[in-house]
């Protein structure tokens, strides 16, 4: 087996500054998000995202996994801008949508559907192969009322997820699940949570996985979910465009190194790469998960309690 390197980034929030926002675009929930952007534009910076992408490119990864929120308002022009951005990247990319990408009901082909070249066969969850790795993409992002940013996977998608995990597991693949909302209730307030996190957790507990990647919280975290062959790491990452002096919130990406384990299965090594606002780049010590391990070998990423 060839080792596989995956870069995990999330919550890019590509700038609105180059787009024309019309008044009619804001006659819905987008108005609140647009007002919020006037504050967040000072945090989500194009220069920080460029540094993240330059660092990812330098590591020559086999795949970039983006767990949602490429946009701010989910406008068709934003989705088109994000598609152009994706098309110019020098590495393969897999994308799942975030809540900002599905802020209000929109025509699929004019919005998130523009990113179909960077997804697998739909409907969700899709499966994309990278050597012995199966990227399984979940859609947890659906329009919600004002002041809500929650998500869900639903019963039908959960049933298909169970089938995908079972089939890729039978094939002996390393199963990496991508989802925008964190699938543990304690990681975010209720109004921003995955409403059916218990359904997701039950699916993992029954069918297993090797890794879950998520975004949404804008904080780098690591936790676990129980599964038949041992705990499954659940890894979140800060926004890839955030300017912050706090290392847990500063623009970051996760380098995921997947290799064969000595006793069978897969060894997963996770290193967080952090872009500090003073121009320095730093990295956490790697966290290593092996099959049936009860805990990571080393914890260098902030772990929620």
């Amino acid at each position: 087996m060839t080792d596989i390197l995956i870069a995990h980034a999330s919550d890019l929030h590509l700038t609105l500054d180059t787009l024309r926002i019309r008044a009619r675009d804001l006659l819905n929930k987008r108005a609140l998000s647009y007002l919020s952007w006037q504050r967040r534009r000072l945090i989500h910076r194009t220069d920080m995202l460029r540094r993240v992408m330059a660092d990812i490119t330098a590591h020559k990864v086999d795949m970039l996994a983006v767990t949602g929120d490429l946009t701010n308002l989910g406008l068709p022009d934003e989705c088109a801008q994000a598609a152009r951005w994706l098309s110019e990247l020098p590495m393969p990319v897999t994308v799942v949508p975030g809540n900002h990408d599905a802020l209000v009901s929109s025509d699929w082909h004019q919005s998130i559907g523009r990113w179909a070249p960077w997804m697998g066969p739909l409907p969700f969850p899709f499966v994309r192969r990278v050597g012995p790795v199966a990227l399984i993409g979940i859609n947890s992002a659906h329009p919600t009322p004002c002041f809500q940013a929650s998500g869900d996977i639903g019963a039908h998608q959960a049933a298909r997820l169970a089938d995908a995990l079972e089939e890729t597991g039978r094939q002996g693949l390393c199963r990496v699940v991508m989802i925008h909302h964190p699938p543990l209730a304690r990681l975010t307030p209720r109004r921003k949570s995955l409403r059916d996190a218990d359904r997701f957790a039950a699916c993992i507990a029954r069918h297993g996985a090797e890794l879950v990647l998520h975004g949404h919280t804008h904080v780098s975290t690591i936790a676990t979910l129980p599964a038949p062959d041992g705990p499954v790491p659940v890894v979140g990452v800060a926004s890839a465009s955030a300017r912050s002096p706090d290392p847990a919130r500063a623009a970051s990406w996760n380098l995921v190194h997947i290799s064969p384990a000595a006793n069978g299965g897969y060894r997963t090594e996770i290193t967080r790469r952090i872009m500090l606002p003073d121009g320095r780049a730093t990295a956490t010590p790697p966290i290593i998960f092996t099959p049936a391990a009860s805990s990571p070998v080393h914890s260098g990423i902030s772990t929620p309690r």
Side-chain angles (χ1 to χ4, degrees):
M1 170 191 152
T2 302
D3 290 10
I4 298 295
L5 294 179
I6 295 174
H8 170 218
S10 196
D11 299 83
L12 314 182
H13 294 293
L14 297 170
T15 183
L16 289 171
D17 292 344
T18 60
L19 301 178
R20 180 176 169 232
I21 310 297
R22 296 170 287 266
R24 67 174 180 269
D25 294 330
L26 305 178
L27 298 177
N28 47 41
K29 183 182 177 181
R30 287 183 176 131
L32 295 175
S33 288
Y34 183 72
L35 291 174
S36 173
W37 169 252
Q38 302 309 309
R39 173 183 56 83
R40 292 188 300 108
R41 69 193 303 170
L42 303 177
I43 300 171
H44 296 289
R45 300 276 296 271
T46 301
D47 60 324
M48 301 305 294
L49 180 58
R50 285 190 186 125
R51 288 178 58 197
V52 165
M53 294 312 303
D55 200 45
I56 290 173
T57 301
H59 280 77
K60 302 185 184 305
V61 299
D62 299 292
M63 178 64 70
L64 168 60
V66 180
T67 50
D69 277 1
L70 284 75
T71 72
N72 296 282
L73 310 180
L75 289 165
D77 285 352
E78 280 187 286
C79 293
Q81 172 183 254
R84 291 191 296 273
W85 184 86
L86 291 167
S87 70
E88 294 170 357
L89 295 178
M91 75 286 291
V93 189
T94 300
V95 172
V96 295
N99 60 291
H100 279 266
D101 307 321
L103 206 61
V104 301
S105 296
S106 301
D107 179 87
W108 168 261
H109 298 288
Q110 296 300 314
S111 57
I112 295 168
R114 292 179 182 271
W115 308 338
W118 299 280
M119 299 178 186
L122 298 177
F124 292 99
F126 61 72
V127 179
R128 289 191 76 184
R129 285 280 303 273
V130 188
V133 175
L135 291 168
I136 302 174
I138 296 284
N139 182 14
S140 63
H142 309 285
T144 56
C146 290
F147 307 110
Q148 298 289 316
S150 57
D152 65 78
I153 64 172
H156 294 298
Q157 192 174 192
R160 292 192 294 270
L161 173 61
D163 291 342
L165 291 170
E166 198 65 27
E167 176 59 26
T168 51
R170 278 197 298 267
Q171 296 174 27
L173 300 177
C174 179
R175 298 160 296 175
V176 178
V177 181
M178 296 171 58
I179 185 171
H180 180 64
H181 291 80
L184 294 97
R186 68 181 184 274
L187 293 184
T188 192
R190 183 174 177 80
R191 70 180 185 86
K192 297 183 178 181
S193 67
L194 185 69
R195 293 188 296 267
D196 53 356
D198 288 348
R199 175 181 281 146
F200 181 93
C203 196
I204 298 297
R206 182 170 183 179
H207 302 283
E210 280 62 56
L211 178 63
V212 177
L213 302 176
H214 72 84
H216 190 51
T217 63
H218 293 198
V219 182
S220 293
T221 55
I222 190 163
T224 59
L225 282 172
D229 296 326
V232 175
V234 177
V235 179
V237 69
S239 164
S241 61
R243 181 181 176 87
S244 173
D246 181 351
R249 295 181 177 274
S252 305
W253 64 282
N254 289 323
L255 176 62
V256 181
H257 182 181
I258 297 170
S259 58
N263 58 343
Y266 297 93
R267 175 185 185 274
T268 303
E269 180 179 307
I270 303 166
T271 303
R272 179 157 52 97
R273 303 275 306 168
I274 307 163
M275 308 297 120
L276 296 172
D278 62 5
R280 290 181 299 123
T282 186
T284 62
I287 299 175
I288 299 169
F289 282 88
T290 56
S294 60
S295 61
V297 172
H298 180 89
S299 179
I301 298 179
S302 57
T303 305
R305 299 184 181 278

